[in-house]
Short mmCIF file of all heavy atoms in Angstrom, two decimals:
data_model
loop_
_atom_site.label_atom_id
_atom_site.label_comp_id
_atom_site.label_asym_id
_atom_site.label_seq_id
_atom_site.Cartn_x
_atom_site.Cartn_y
_atom_site.Cartn_z
N GLY A 45 49.31 13.56 -5.66
CA GLY A 45 50.71 13.92 -5.53
C GLY A 45 51.52 12.76 -5.00
O GLY A 45 51.03 11.63 -4.89
N HIS A 46 52.77 13.06 -4.68
CA HIS A 46 53.67 12.04 -4.11
C HIS A 46 54.19 12.55 -2.77
O HIS A 46 54.70 13.66 -2.69
CB HIS A 46 54.83 11.75 -5.05
CG HIS A 46 54.36 11.11 -6.32
ND1 HIS A 46 54.22 9.75 -6.44
CD2 HIS A 46 53.96 11.64 -7.48
CE1 HIS A 46 53.75 9.48 -7.64
NE2 HIS A 46 53.59 10.61 -8.30
N VAL A 60 46.87 14.78 7.67
CA VAL A 60 45.56 14.91 7.04
C VAL A 60 45.55 15.94 5.91
O VAL A 60 46.42 16.80 5.83
CB VAL A 60 44.49 15.34 8.07
CG1 VAL A 60 44.23 14.25 9.10
CG2 VAL A 60 44.89 16.64 8.76
N LYS A 75 40.58 14.79 6.59
CA LYS A 75 40.57 13.40 6.16
C LYS A 75 41.99 12.86 6.14
O LYS A 75 42.90 13.54 5.66
CB LYS A 75 39.97 13.31 4.76
CG LYS A 75 39.77 11.91 4.30
CD LYS A 75 38.87 11.87 3.10
CE LYS A 75 38.59 10.44 2.70
NZ LYS A 75 37.80 10.38 1.49
N THR A 79 48.56 6.77 1.69
CA THR A 79 49.32 6.63 0.45
C THR A 79 49.01 5.27 -0.17
O THR A 79 48.73 4.30 0.53
CB THR A 79 50.83 6.73 0.73
OG1 THR A 79 51.15 5.93 1.87
CG2 THR A 79 51.23 8.16 1.02
N SER A 84 52.23 7.44 -3.52
CA SER A 84 51.18 8.16 -4.24
C SER A 84 50.01 8.49 -3.33
O SER A 84 49.60 7.68 -2.51
CB SER A 84 50.64 7.32 -5.40
OG SER A 84 51.58 7.26 -6.40
N VAL A 85 49.48 9.69 -3.52
CA VAL A 85 48.35 10.13 -2.73
C VAL A 85 47.21 10.49 -3.69
O VAL A 85 47.44 11.12 -4.72
CB VAL A 85 48.74 11.37 -1.89
CG1 VAL A 85 47.51 12.08 -1.39
CG2 VAL A 85 49.63 10.96 -0.74
N ILE A 92 32.98 20.02 2.33
CA ILE A 92 33.78 21.09 2.94
C ILE A 92 32.87 22.28 3.28
O ILE A 92 32.22 22.84 2.40
CB ILE A 92 34.91 21.55 1.98
CG1 ILE A 92 35.81 20.36 1.63
CG2 ILE A 92 35.72 22.68 2.60
CD1 ILE A 92 36.81 20.64 0.53
N ASP A 118 44.93 28.55 -0.84
CA ASP A 118 43.65 29.24 -0.59
C ASP A 118 42.52 28.42 -1.17
O ASP A 118 42.70 27.70 -2.15
CB ASP A 118 43.66 30.62 -1.26
CG ASP A 118 44.59 31.58 -0.53
OD1 ASP A 118 44.94 31.28 0.62
OD2 ASP A 118 44.97 32.59 -1.14
N PHE A 146 65.38 23.70 13.34
CA PHE A 146 66.77 23.99 13.01
C PHE A 146 66.89 25.15 12.02
O PHE A 146 67.64 26.09 12.26
CB PHE A 146 67.47 22.73 12.44
CG PHE A 146 67.51 21.57 13.39
CD1 PHE A 146 67.60 20.27 12.92
CD2 PHE A 146 67.47 21.77 14.77
CE1 PHE A 146 67.65 19.19 13.79
CE2 PHE A 146 67.51 20.71 15.65
CZ PHE A 146 67.59 19.41 15.16
N GLY A 156 74.68 27.89 9.22
CA GLY A 156 74.04 28.63 8.13
C GLY A 156 75.02 29.52 7.38
O GLY A 156 74.93 29.66 6.17
N SER A 157 75.99 30.09 8.11
CA SER A 157 76.99 30.93 7.44
C SER A 157 78.24 30.11 7.19
O SER A 157 78.16 28.93 6.89
CB SER A 157 77.29 32.16 8.29
OG SER A 157 77.73 31.76 9.58
N ALA A 160 80.18 27.11 12.23
CA ALA A 160 79.13 26.56 13.09
C ALA A 160 79.59 26.61 14.53
O ALA A 160 80.72 26.19 14.83
CB ALA A 160 78.82 25.13 12.69
N GLY A 163 81.28 23.70 16.15
CA GLY A 163 81.40 22.73 15.05
C GLY A 163 80.15 21.89 14.83
O GLY A 163 80.19 20.86 14.16
N LEU A 164 79.02 22.37 15.39
CA LEU A 164 77.77 21.61 15.25
C LEU A 164 76.94 22.18 14.10
O LEU A 164 76.39 23.29 14.20
CB LEU A 164 76.98 21.67 16.56
CG LEU A 164 75.61 20.97 16.58
CD1 LEU A 164 75.76 19.46 16.35
CD2 LEU A 164 74.88 21.23 17.90
N ALA A 168 70.31 21.40 6.78
CA ALA A 168 69.51 20.27 6.32
C ALA A 168 70.34 19.06 5.90
O ALA A 168 69.98 17.93 6.20
CB ALA A 168 68.61 20.71 5.17
N SER A 170 73.27 18.23 6.96
CA SER A 170 74.24 17.78 7.97
C SER A 170 73.65 17.37 9.31
O SER A 170 74.27 16.59 10.05
CB SER A 170 75.26 18.91 8.25
OG SER A 170 75.78 19.42 7.07
N THR A 191 69.72 10.05 21.19
CA THR A 191 69.72 8.60 21.33
C THR A 191 68.35 8.11 20.88
O THR A 191 67.35 8.37 21.57
CB THR A 191 69.95 8.18 22.79
OG1 THR A 191 71.18 8.75 23.25
CG2 THR A 191 70.02 6.67 22.92
N GLY A 193 64.96 6.62 20.54
CA GLY A 193 64.12 5.90 21.48
C GLY A 193 64.31 6.32 22.94
O GLY A 193 63.60 5.80 23.80
N VAL A 195 64.62 9.75 25.13
CA VAL A 195 64.62 11.21 25.25
C VAL A 195 65.56 11.67 26.37
O VAL A 195 66.34 12.61 26.20
CB VAL A 195 63.18 11.73 25.52
CG1 VAL A 195 63.17 13.22 25.79
CG2 VAL A 195 62.27 11.39 24.35
N ASP A 207 68.46 24.34 31.88
CA ASP A 207 69.42 25.45 31.84
C ASP A 207 70.86 24.95 31.75
O ASP A 207 71.80 25.64 32.14
CB ASP A 207 69.23 26.35 33.06
CG ASP A 207 69.41 25.59 34.37
OD1 ASP A 207 69.73 24.38 34.30
OD2 ASP A 207 69.25 26.19 35.44
N TRP A 212 77.41 28.56 29.17
CA TRP A 212 78.16 28.44 27.92
C TRP A 212 78.41 29.82 27.28
O TRP A 212 78.99 29.91 26.21
CB TRP A 212 77.41 27.63 26.85
CG TRP A 212 77.15 26.20 27.18
CD1 TRP A 212 77.61 25.49 28.24
CD2 TRP A 212 76.37 25.30 26.41
NE1 TRP A 212 77.16 24.21 28.19
CE2 TRP A 212 76.39 24.06 27.06
CE3 TRP A 212 75.64 25.41 25.22
CZ2 TRP A 212 75.70 22.94 26.57
CZ3 TRP A 212 74.97 24.31 24.74
CH2 TRP A 212 75.00 23.08 25.41
N ASP A 218 65.73 29.34 26.47
CA ASP A 218 64.51 30.03 26.06
C ASP A 218 64.39 30.16 24.55
O ASP A 218 63.53 30.88 24.05
CB ASP A 218 64.46 31.44 26.68
CG ASP A 218 64.20 31.36 28.17
OD1 ASP A 218 63.59 30.36 28.62
OD2 ASP A 218 64.63 32.29 28.89
N MET A 219 65.26 29.48 23.82
CA MET A 219 65.24 29.64 22.36
C MET A 219 63.95 29.09 21.75
O MET A 219 63.46 29.59 20.75
CB MET A 219 66.44 28.95 21.74
CG MET A 219 67.71 29.76 21.88
SD MET A 219 69.05 28.97 21.00
CE MET A 219 70.43 30.01 21.51
N VAL A 229 60.14 17.45 18.95
CA VAL A 229 61.51 16.94 19.07
C VAL A 229 61.52 15.69 19.96
O VAL A 229 62.08 14.65 19.59
CB VAL A 229 62.44 18.02 19.66
CG1 VAL A 229 63.82 17.44 19.93
CG2 VAL A 229 62.54 19.22 18.72
N ASP A 230 60.86 15.77 21.11
CA ASP A 230 60.82 14.61 22.03
C ASP A 230 60.15 13.40 21.36
O ASP A 230 60.63 12.27 21.47
CB ASP A 230 60.04 14.98 23.30
CG ASP A 230 60.85 15.89 24.21
OD1 ASP A 230 62.02 16.19 23.88
OD2 ASP A 230 60.32 16.32 25.25
N ILE A 233 62.39 11.79 18.77
CA ILE A 233 63.42 10.97 19.40
C ILE A 233 62.81 9.67 19.95
O ILE A 233 63.30 8.57 19.68
CB ILE A 233 64.12 11.74 20.54
CG1 ILE A 233 64.87 12.96 19.98
CG2 ILE A 233 65.09 10.83 21.31
CD1 ILE A 233 65.44 13.89 21.04
#
Side-chain angles (χ1 to χ4, degrees):
H46 294 272
V60 293
K75 187 166 184 184
T79 45
S84 288
V85 164
I92 302 171
D118 289 342
F146 299 154
S157 58
L164 178 63
S170 310
T191 303
V195 174
D207 59 2
W212 296 353
D218 289 334
M219 282 185 187
V229 174
D230 286 357
I233 296 172

